[in-house]
Amino acid sequence: LPNKKFVIYSTLVFTFISWISGILILLFLVQNYDIYESVIKVIFIGLAALTLPHMILVDIVYRKRFK
């Protein structure tokens, strides 16, 4: 299935980009905070950054399809 390969490839690419971005932001934050505070900030800001677009996608895009 070519679609399956595309999904796996896309998932790997976005996962890699997310991890690299998180590590870079962590390295930036460690300059001003200790490692514990930096990790907490990266986790919660990352969760907020993922939750808001997901809520918009579910509420706006999928609600119209299944109404």
Side-chain angles (χ1 to χ4, degrees):
L1 293 165
N3 193 22
K4 184 177 180 180
K5 287 182 181 180
F6 173 75
V7 170
I8 292 171
Y9 177 73
S10 299
T11 303
L12 290 175
V13 168
F14 285 120
T15 302
F16 182 72
I17 291 170
S18 299
W19 276 94
I20 295 299
S21 301
I23 291 169
L24 290 175
I25 293 168
L26 185 67
L27 292 174
F28 176 75
L29 287 175
V30 167
Q31 296 173 4
N32 298 321
Y33 303 102
D34 65 359
I35 188 72
Y36 178 76
E37 286 179 299
S38 299
V39 169
I40 294 296
K41 287 180 185 294
V42 168
I43 288 172
F44 283 101
I45 292 171
L47 283 173
L50 290 172
T51 302
L52 184 64
H54 181 261
M55 288 172 33
I56 292 170
L57 180 70
V58 169
D59 285 344
I60 294 174
V61 175
Y62 287 117
R63 184 174 292 175
K64 290 178 184 175
R65 284 190 182 173
F66 298 108
K67 227 176 181 183

